[in-house]
Amino acid sequence: MSEIFVFGHQNPDTDAIGAAISFAYLQKELGKNTVPVALGTPSEETQYALDYFNVPAPRVIEEAGSQTKQVMLVDHNEFQQSVADIKDLSILAVVDHHRIANFETADPLYYRAEPVGCTSTIIFKMFKESNVVIPTQIAGMMVSAIISDTLLFKSPTCTEEDIQAANELAAIAEIDLNGYGLDMLKAGTNLSDKSAEVLLDLDAKSFPLGDKNVRIAQINTVDFNDILSRQDELEATMNAEITANGYEMFILIITNILDSDSELLVLGNSLDKVEKAFNISLENNRSFLKGVVSRKKQIVPQLTEAFN
Amino acid sequence: MSEIFVFGHQNPDTDAIGAAISFAYLQKELGKNTVPVALGTPSEETQYALDYFNVPAPRVIEEAGSQTKQVMLVDHNEFQQSVADIKDLSILAVVDHHRIANFETADPLYYRAEPVGCTSTIIFKMFKESNVVIPTQIAGMMVSAIISDTLLFKSPTCTEEDIQAANELAAIAEIDLNGYGLDMLKAGTNLSDKSAEVLLDLDAKSFPLGDKNVRIAQINTVDFNDILSRQDELEATMNAEITANGYEMFILIITNILDSDSELLVLGNSLDKVEKAFNISLENNRSFLKGVVSRKKQIVPQLTEAFN
């Protein structure tokens, strides 16, 4: 029986890595020959969680087809966010909490999506439904993923189910939710030694909007000035990526995880669509968005409507 | 709070109607203002079940947008099988057991697909997970849907979960599975008074394969000759529909529900793709397919591969 690869999206965040580890574990307990892999190296935030719970980082793959034909996707479904050769693979299962788009299969599959704040919250329910015990290390990665995706429950994507799951998992993982959570989030905001290329690729996804391709990156910080002091350098890199990849637009969301607000930095064409979508005027390519922290809930739907 | 419409695919079969009724009931018990509707009138098989369990047929709608913006889909996801204005609606939930294709949303949603034989089997699990009691009438429609989709457990799409669910539901519905099941299936094979147009539309779906649109209809019978004696009339109608709708091909699957075999009748272009997909030679536009009863598992994947 060949291995079944389980992985999250490109530029993996803590949920993409944590959900791959926990879902691969659950499926293995249920008799499948699953192994977690990743489409990139862990961020510093994710590495903090891996180190804390003594979990090895999943092996990074560039493609899957030379090693297996069977995969399970977590925390994403859109093909442009997945492994490069996804169209040649058989997708056995998806567990996700995003919109569904640019996804199709030839055969019936297991697909479980719920509009909650974190994929790991759904996987937590699946552990319960299957009566599989959650080990400490796995619980630690799952609660880290929920803290990360919900910004410690401050994101509007956060639901009662996420909070409930996080509390139960924190007890299993033997952590203090707030203390551990803030330490982990802050570990991800130490960005001064990173190049603009790296910063813009930490948590970046491409979205087909209308007939255009839009790149949307997000950076968490505890001080806007840490990032905005490098605006010139960031803009040069964003423009280079727009040219190299044919993006209609590059949007950088800089999110203050302590205040739960964001600054947008936007380059490219169709800037009027961004201004219309959020009822803002860009000045110096920037605008402040009060209370906005969620790309999925507060950015992408509004842009989707503006582009349609 | 406006109503949320719950419906199955066009040309509804017993699962499309039964799953809409049962899922709308479950969601209503969970606090949603759901109402089952249908994208067509019940077949004679479905009407047999509705009459037996004294359940009113869902209201037929042509479009949804003038009445509600919020919908839940059961037993389908592909937009070309759904309500005409599906792209203008907000899809809150999908419960299905088919491949995923030609489906997308702007927002995260609840999506539950499992590779089992019948949508109603998944809904049965959801009743259990939610601790909602299943009334006799609802159980009756759900077990009828499982009997229909699995041809009384003879289809290769049938899983242990379908059989288990059907047995538990039959107990609640107070029926003898085999006796009721055969009576219901036979009620759907009384086709002599139906025009070729009606026959070809009873259980027909369009599938985008490669860059072509292929129509695939299925008719259940207890005697091939009941259908094949009308081959000339059927072919004339199939050719007319190919012309009117630009289908690349029209495939009619005639399935003997007693022997669990099928005859294919195929018209249009790319006939070599059909011959290659099933390793057959069409004679008089026909070929016998031993042991083939499932469009979803034994026809569509093979054709998808042939067209790619």
Side-chain angles (χ1 to χ4, degrees):
Chain A
M1 186 168 62
S2 72
E3 285 183 331
I4 301 166
F5 282 2
V6 183
F7 50 84
H9 50 78
Q10 298 170 13
N11 304 311
D13 58 10
T14 303
D15 193 29
I17 300 272
I21 290 169
S22 59
F23 192 58
Y25 177 86
L26 172 62
Q27 289 296 316
K28 193 141 203 164
E29 288 293 302
L30 297 174
K32 299 290 200 312
N33 189 21
T34 42
V35 58
V37 295
L39 306 186
T41 52
S43 69
E44 291 190 29
E45 177 196 284
T46 308
Q47 194 61 53
Y48 179 93
L50 291 167
D51 290 344
Y52 190 97
F53 292 105
N54 197 22
V55 174
R59 180 162 63 86
V60 175
I61 61 166
E62 301 285 333
E63 56 77 48
S66 69
Q67 303 159 80
T68 185
K69 295 298 177 203
Q70 298 192 308
V71 298
M72 298 180 176
L73 311 186
V74 293
D75 197 31
H76 76 296
N77 67 85
E78 304 192 37
F79 281 1
Q80 79 280 1
Q81 298 168 1
S82 195
V83 73
D85 56 342
I86 186 68
K87 288 192 179 176
D88 305 325
L89 306 170
S90 173
I91 303 169
L92 302 184
V94 178
V95 186
D96 191 20
H97 67 131
H98 296 89
R99 72 167 190 171
I100 298 175
N102 193 19
F103 176 85
E104 70 169 31
T105 62
D107 294 296
L109 74 162
Y110 188 99
Y111 199 111
R112 177 87 169 248
E114 300 187 23
V116 293
C118 182
T119 306
S120 292
T121 299
I122 307 167
I123 296 173
F124 172 70
K125 290 170 72 172
M126 296 171 76
F127 267 97
K128 285 197 159 182
E129 289 163 13
S130 309
N131 289 314
V132 173
V133 173
I134 308 177
T136 305
Q137 289 180 306
I138 299 290
M141 291 312 298
M142 291 170 81
V143 68
S144 299
I146 298 173
I147 292 164
S148 172
D149 268 15
T150 66
L151 293 176
L152 250 177
F153 317 130
K154 284 185 183 163
S155 169
T157 58
C158 185
T159 68
E160 279 303 316
E161 289 194 90
D162 296 299
I163 297 169
Q164 172 80 19
N167 276 290
E168 292 190 42
L169 288 164
I172 301 171
E174 297 173 0
I175 56 161
D176 170 65
L177 251 184
N178 274 300
Y180 171 83
L182 268 182
D183 286 347
M184 187 198 78
L185 289 175
K186 280 183 186 164
T189 65
N190 174 25
L191 305 172
S192 56
D193 62 341
K194 293 196 165 49
S195 69
E197 285 81 1
V198 169
L199 281 180
L200 291 169
D201 204 42
L202 276 178
D203 179 11
K205 295 180 181 176
S206 298
F207 294 87
L209 297 178
D211 57 351
K212 309 294 188 184
N213 194 16
V214 174
R215 186 74 165 174
I216 311 180
Q218 186 165 22
I219 300 176
N220 289 343
T221 184
V222 290
D223 183 348
F224 282 134
N225 284 330
D226 286 353
I227 310 297
L228 292 175
S229 62
R230 299 170 65 182
Q231 183 171 350
D232 289 351
E233 181 195 356
L234 289 165
E235 288 194 359
T237 305
M238 289 163 73
N239 276 322
E241 293 202 14
I242 287 171
T243 304
N245 300 293
Y247 300 136
E248 176 71 1
M249 188 188 297
F250 196 129
I251 301 176
L252 173 61
I253 311 162
I254 306 159
T255 299
N256 186 318
I257 59 171
L258 300 180
D259 299 340
S260 302
D261 299 316
S262 292
E263 277 276 343
L264 284 194
L265 176 60
V266 189
L267 297 179
N269 300 313
S270 306
L271 299 187
D272 57 311
K273 292 205 168 69
V274 174
E275 295 187 321
K276 190 178 147 214
F278 304 106
N279 196 24
I280 55 175
S281 293
L282 293 168
E283 286 176 36
N284 185 20
N285 302 323
R286 284 162 40 188
S287 181
F288 180 72
L289 290 183
K290 180 145 189 64
V292 169
V293 297
S294 168
R295 172 171 52 196
K296 185 169 68 174
K297 202 147 184 168
Q298 298 173 296
I299 302 283
V300 172
Q302 290 77 358
L303 278 178
T304 302
E305 195 178 330
F307 270 87
N308 281 341
Chain B
M1 187 169 62
S2 72
E3 284 183 333
I4 301 166
F5 282 2
V6 182
F7 49 84
H9 51 78
Q10 297 170 15
N11 304 309
D13 58 11
T14 303
D15 192 29
I17 301 272
I21 291 170
S22 58
F23 192 59
Y25 177 86
L26 172 61
Q27 289 296 318
K28 193 142 204 163
E29 289 292 303
L30 296 175
K32 299 289 200 312
N33 190 20
T34 42
V35 59
V37 296
L39 305 186
T41 53
S43 70
E44 291 190 27
E45 178 196 284
T46 308
Q47 194 61 55
Y48 180 93
L50 291 166
D51 290 344
Y52 190 99
F53 293 104
N54 198 24
V55 174
R59 180 162 64 85
V60 174
I61 62 166
E62 302 285 334
E63 56 77 46
S66 69
Q67 304 159 79
T68 184
K69 297 297 177 205
Q70 298 194 305
V71 299
M72 297 180 177
L73 312 186
V74 293
D75 198 30
H76 76 296
N77 68 83
E78 303 192 39
F79 281 2
Q80 78 280 1
Q81 298 169 3
S82 195
V83 73
D85 57 344
I86 186 68
K87 288 189 181 179
D88 305 325
L89 306 170
S90 174
I91 303 169
L92 302 184
V94 178
V95 186
D96 191 22
H97 66 130
H98 296 89
R99 72 165 191 172
I100 299 175
N102 194 18
F103 176 84
E104 70 169 30
T105 61
D107 293 297
L109 74 162
Y110 188 99
Y111 199 112
R112 178 86 169 247
E114 300 187 21
V116 294
C118 182
T119 306
S120 293
T121 299
I122 306 168
I123 296 173
F124 173 70
K125 289 169 72 173
M126 296 171 76
F127 267 97
K128 286 197 159 183
E129 289 163 12
S130 309
N131 289 314
V132 174
V133 173
I134 308 176
T136 304
Q137 289 179 306
I138 299 291
M141 290 312 298
M142 289 170 82
V143 68
S144 298
I146 298 173
I147 292 164
S148 173
D149 267 16
T150 66
L151 294 176
L152 248 176
F153 318 129
K154 284 183 183 167
S155 169
T157 59
C158 185
T159 67
E160 280 303 315
E161 289 193 88
D162 297 299
I163 296 168
Q164 172 79 19
N167 277 290
E168 291 189 41
L169 288 165
I172 300 170
E174 297 173 1
I175 56 162
D176 170 66
L177 251 184
N178 273 300
Y180 171 83
L182 268 181
D183 286 348
M184 187 198 79
L185 289 174
K186 280 183 186 163
T189 65
N190 175 25
L191 304 171
S192 57
D193 61 341
K194 292 198 163 50
S195 69
E197 285 80 2
V198 170
L199 281 180
L200 291 170
D201 204 42
L202 277 178
D203 177 11
K205 295 179 181 177
S206 298
F207 294 86
L209 297 177
D211 57 348
K212 309 293 187 185
N213 194 16
V214 174
R215 186 75 165 172
I216 310 179
Q218 185 164 22
I219 300 176
N220 289 344
T221 184
V222 291
D223 183 349
F224 283 134
N225 284 329
D226 286 354
I227 310 297
L228 292 175
S229 62
R230 299 170 66 183
Q231 182 172 350
D232 290 351
E233 180 195 359
L234 288 165
E235 289 193 0
T237 305
M238 289 163 73
N239 277 321
E241 294 202 14
I242 287 171
T243 305
N245 300 293
Y247 300 135
E248 174 72 2
M249 189 188 295
F250 196 128
I251 301 176
L252 173 61
I253 310 163
I254 306 159
T255 299
N256 187 317
I257 60 170
L258 301 180
D259 300 338
S260 303
D261 299 315
S262 292
E263 277 275 344
L264 284 194
L265 177 59
V266 189
L267 297 178
N269 301 312
S270 306
L271 299 186
D272 56 312
K273 291 206 170 69
V274 174
E275 296 188 320
K276 188 179 145 213
F278 304 107
N279 195 22
I280 55 174
S281 294
L282 293 168
E283 286 175 36
N284 185 23
N285 302 324
R286 284 162 41 189
S287 181
F288 179 71
L289 291 184
K290 179 143 191 68
V292 169
V293 298
S294 167
R295 172 171 51 197
K296 185 169 67 171
K297 202 147 184 167
Q298 298 173 298
I299 302 285
V300 172
Q302 291 76 359
L303 277 178
T304 302
E305 195 178 330
F307 271 85
N308 282 341

